[in-house]
Amino acid sequence: MSFPINRMRRLRASDTLRRMMREISVSVDDLIYPLFVAPGLDVKLQVPSMPGVYHFSVDAICEEAKSVRDLGIPAVLIFGLPDHKDEYGSEAYARDGIVQRAVSRLKNEVPELVVITDVCLCEYTSHGHCGIVRDGEILNDETLDLIARTAVSHAEAGSDIVAPSDMMDGRVMAIREALDDHGFINTPIMAYSAKFASGFYGPFRDAAGCSPQFGDRSSYQMDPPNRREASKEIALDIEEGADIVMVKPALSYLDVISDARMSFDVPIAAYNVSGEYCMVKAAAQAGYIDERRVTTEILTSIKRAGADLIITYSAKDFAHWQRNV
Ligand code: PBG
């Protein structure tokens, strides 16, 4: 059947009809808000490359977390900026490390908020790589123990979900075994499974102080053109025990999210990363685009591609907009 029997515009005629015909919608329940915790007292410092994103000290992050909870956002993803860095990233797995202290305060003061912790070494290593470095090489198997220790130390501090972002092979299995050995059989793993070596992480690296001091991350993060390989990475992580898998970045990798949705039945998260956020902020500040409209469209596209959860620096803005429709 075709025109004039068929008229696609019939169901677009009014706002209410459009609302009824909508196939998907983004909910605040889908969102995870990243937070950066830094040393000091009463610190709330704007990250220069990321308008609206701040470094918070442990005390100040609790206040921020309360406002996140009050907006109905269910979860935060915590990144740490340590006091000092060394070759082995030892503050990543220190009992009194910056993330461990923030998590135990958060779970005391805002217990209903789900606290997810990024498990990686790059913010804590002097060389800025996500693993142990020897003779200019980023070692895989030697790194696994440190990654697993980091995850266990986060769980001990009260982390609800651990999220390894290092891209070493075998790290999900190493973390699962270590968590189970320490009695954390119910702590889920959200694995950064298809994490690409992306230029879109630029502003984050300023925010987290984790730029590699030599070379880049291409020997462990994925090569951007590789779609089939992404499915393999995800399948391996599920086999190793990942409860939630992630595609990162989101916007330039919607095909990868869509493939994952078709192939796997586990929850899929997508990371709407710093560079994606900053492009929208900068263009909106210049008056070139409507920030609310474009942000909502971007989040909708990520959901439509198949993501269940979206990690986004826009979570608070989106929650505010939902309140004042
Ligand atoms: C750490 C990590 C990075 C991001 C999340 N965890 C940076 C990187 O891999 O270089 C990027 C987040 C963003 O850009 O918003 N491994």
Side-chain angles (χ1 to χ4, degrees):
M1 254 189 307
S2 57
F3 180 82
I5 305 284
N6 226 327
R7 284 183 184 273
M8 294 307 286
R9 292 181 57 186
R10 285 185 198 120
L11 296 180
R12 291 178 202 146
S14 72
D15 198 36
T16 313
L17 269 172
R18 288 191 293 274
R19 191 149 59 85
M20 290 167 67
M21 299 309 140
R22 218 150 266 164
E23 296 177 26
I24 58 127
S25 63
V26 178
S27 155
V28 173
D29 293 336
D30 306 328
L31 305 182
I32 299 169
Y33 188 56
L35 283 177
F36 296 93
V37 58
L41 250 186
D42 199 22
V43 175
K44 180 181 178 181
L45 211 80
Q46 151 102 42
V47 176
S49 56
M50 299 181 71
V53 176
Y54 300 86
H55 288 167
F56 295 99
S57 50
V58 172
D59 55 319
I61 212 168
C62 290
E63 288 315 300
E64 178 68 3
K66 284 175 192 161
S67 81
V68 172
R69 172 202 59 195
D70 294 343
L71 281 165
I73 298 165
V76 292
L77 173 61
I78 307 292
F79 295 95
L81 289 97
D83 256 330
H84 76 281
K85 301 177 189 247
D86 59 38
E87 223 182 314
Y88 295 98
S90 52
E91 210 175 310
Y93 38 90
R95 194 176 278 274
D96 63 347
I98 186 90
V99 165
Q100 290 78 356
R101 281 185 287 128
V103 169
S104 66
R105 276 285 283 277
L106 283 168
K107 288 314 296 181
N108 262 321
E109 294 192 25
V110 206
E112 61 280 41
L113 191 70
V114 167
V115 173
I116 310 172
T117 47
D118 184 84
V119 174
C120 199
L121 299 181
C122 66
E123 291 116 275
Y124 307 89
T125 50
S126 42
H127 44 71
H129 277 290
C130 306
I132 296 174
V133 172
R134 192 182 304 141
D135 302 327
E137 195 188 326
I138 293 89
L139 302 179
N140 191 89
D141 299 15
E142 292 80 347
T143 299
L144 296 181
D145 178 48
L146 300 187
I147 295 289
R149 274 169 68 180
T150 304
V152 169
S153 75
H154 290 180
E156 280 169 346
S159 177
D160 294 301
I161 301 177
V162 293
S165 68
D166 54 290
M167 288 300 278
M168 297 300 126
D169 289 319
R171 92 273 209 216
V172 173
M173 184 185 281
I175 290 174
R176 185 72 270 157
E177 282 177 5
L179 287 173
D180 290 357
D181 282 350
H182 288 81
F184 297 106
I185 56 169
N186 288 320
T187 302
I189 300 173
M190 176 169 83
Y192 289 68
S193 302
K195 178 176 180 180
F196 290 86
S198 170
F200 286 102
Y201 307 151
F204 173 96
R205 291 187 187 163
D206 287 344
C210 67
S211 291
Q213 299 304 300
F214 68 91
D216 58 27
R217 303 209 201 290
S218 314
S219 76
Y220 41 108
Q221 297 181 349
M222 286 187 60
D223 203 21
N226 294 358
R227 182 172 177 175
R228 292 190 302 266
E229 188 188 336
S231 284
K232 184 167 179 188
E233 279 283 6
I234 294 169
L236 289 171
D237 279 3
I238 294 172
E239 264 173 51
E240 288 180 32
D243 300 278
I244 303 169
V245 294
M246 194 200 299
V247 175
K248 177 187 174 188
L251 208 45
S252 291
Y253 299 86
L254 294 177
D255 54 337
V256 175
I257 298 173
S258 167
D259 288 352
R261 177 72 298 148
M262 307 273 245
S263 308
F264 305 107
D265 288 329
V266 300
I268 296 168
Y271 201 139
N272 177 212
V273 298
S274 56
E276 300 170 9
Y277 170 82
C278 291
M279 290 196 302
V280 174
K281 280 281 174 197
Q285 279 174 4
Y288 297 153
I289 57 168
D290 175 338
E291 182 181 355
R292 175 175 172 167
R293 206 171 153 185
V294 168
T295 301
T296 305
E297 197 170 327
I298 288 174
L299 296 177
T300 302
S301 72
I302 297 169
K303 183 89 188 266
R304 192 187 60 232
D308 302 291
L309 300 164
I310 306 173
I311 301 154
T312 179
Y313 303 97
S314 305
K316 285 180 72 186
D317 289 339
F318 182 82
H320 278 294
W321 298 330
Q322 292 294 97
R323 297 212 151 179
N324 323 308
V325 270

